[in-house]
Amino acid sequence: MANDDFRLADVPRQHARERGDHPALTLDDTTITYRTLDERTTRIANALRTDGVRPGDRIAVLDKGSIEIGELLFGAVKAGAVLIPLNWRLAEPELTAVLDDAGATMLFAGEEFAPTADRVAVAAGTVTKTVRLGKDYEEWLAAASGEDDGYRGDPDTVVFQLYTSGTTGRPKGVLTTNRTLSVLEDGAAPSWGIDADSVALAAMPLFHIGGLGFLLVGLSFGAQVVIVRELVPAALLDLVVERRVTNTFLVPSVIGMLCDLPGAAGRDYSALRSIAYGASPITPAQLRRALATFGRPLFQLYGLTETQGAIVQLDAEDHDPDGPRAHLMRAAGKPYPWVELRIVDPATGAEASTGEAGEILVRSVVNTPGYHNQPDATSALLDDDGWLHTGDIGRLDGEGYLTISDRLKDMIITGGENVYPVEVEAVLADHPDVAGVAVVGRADPRWGEAVTAVVVPRPGSALTADDLIGFARPRLAGYKLPKYVDFVEALPLGPTGKVLKRELRAEYRKGATHR
């Protein structure tokens, strides 16, 4: 449970004392131990102070997955500064907007992003110094003192800041504090089999709570964390086998990509203890393939950047697509003991009945205290009683299992009826000839919005729209059935493998069709 004395700055210090020679971070052929991590992060803290960085100041890093991101996070925390890992997929005006919002004073950049960093640093106007990772970074580090002053911060000290909605509207910097990370060591991870001897694969981008959060889970236990610079399915599967990975966090689309690789089911996964996954439910068809390929337990997680990641878990024993409780495959799971959930009518705030859909509210020690310098957005997120409004639609059953219907903004209103795309996607994805599917609303003069399924068929299949609708008809109410089925070669995916529905919605607003 929550540890009131937890301080992120102490993680490298503690493990350097207790297991200094144990591997901490690995990328490709480079590995640093906990002793080295502690020493280098102390130098980073002192170098930041020399450059005028003070407690509460923001610094940013623009790079794909790297050891340096982990070092800069802990170095910043030891100096009382706040690290912002930037989304390297953003356009330059979007990166500038994030730096402006944060008021970042220093910017670190990987070699391939150095020209971009130079331009956005000038455009932002707040950045006084840029440091290129590699030779310049090592020289900057070597010139600093190695004396650790022991700064820890207090429970409410902000330790890092991840940005959401960076591609639509004003970006929002989610504040993460020592207090909101206080369940790292005693939370859900032990049920996944993570301990000090784990080899944890951080496969998701480190600007994302799924990637950075999983990295911090591994380091908090003193495990070896293997970082992935960029997600390439074949290389990722090789890492799982060659590094004897014990634990990882993925999204269902990536799990599917791994299962589809030639020879995947015949590889040696004997070291693997479990796979945690999130961002969307796994379909029964996907689960069967994953269990057949890896033969290891899966845990579903639901959470937000604003809750520092997972707040709900579907345990491995609930992943039984062909058993008497197969209906739980639609569920996200049950809340952790330190999490309270409510379901309310999004229009009135009235409490929903058991099984009734409404907005999911959460109250927990992991809730962010708010958004950086955005009091109005913070007030909309958190009410006076401490309930965080997730913007997700869901329902709680009589056993306390939460099922996510969809995002409020993704809900389709067709003929006056609410349709939640996730529910339709779960049915369509169970068709054996469907490799991928996303459901969005298309403007329609009769219905207001028409349910539209965008489908990637399996190679070689002769799947038709009539086939798919006929498959879904016994499983879905008539108004939920797709009125359009468009076949595409691929769905637009973000860096975590999650479908970018905003891009699909934008296409259909312009009248796109791929049938």
Side-chain angles (χ1 to χ4, degrees), residues 13-51:
R13 293 170 177 145
Q14 174 189 342
H15 295 308
R17 289 193 305 268
E18 296 176 358
R19 53 204 336 255
D21 293 330
H22 191 78
L25 295 173
T26 295
L27 175 66
D28 297 331
D29 296 327
T30 301
T31 294
I32 64 170
T33 66
Y34 277 99
R35 182 176 295 107
T36 301
L37 178 64
D38 185 41
E39 292 169 350
R40 288 173 66 86
T41 54
T42 294
R43 289 188 180 278
I44 290 170
N46 289 326
L48 291 172
R49 294 186 181 109
T50 298
D51 283 325

Side-chain angles (χ1 to χ4, degrees), residues 285 427-435 457-458 461 463 468 471 475:
V427 171
L428 300 182
D430 214 23
H431 191 290
D433 287 334
V434 171
R458 291 204 178 281
S461 79
L463 184 65
L468 196 57
F471 175 81
R475 308 175 181 208

Side-chain angles (χ1 to χ4, degrees), residues 401-463:
Y401 284 91
L402 174 71
T403 298
I404 312 296
S405 302
D406 231 311
R407 292 289 293 169
L408 275 172
K409 66 182 180 182
D410 287 344
M411 185 176 70
I412 300 167
I413 303 176
T414 180
E417 298 281 2
N418 295 343
V419 175
Y420 301 113
V422 167
E423 183 180 2
V424 182
E425 289 163 356
V427 171
L428 300 182
D430 214 23
H431 191 290
D433 287 334
V434 171
V437 60
V439 171
V440 295
R442 172 189 298 198
D444 185 275
R446 180 179 181 185
W447 303 104
E449 287 185 289
V451 178
T452 301
V454 186
V455 177
V456 179
R458 291 204 178 281
S461 79
L463 184 65

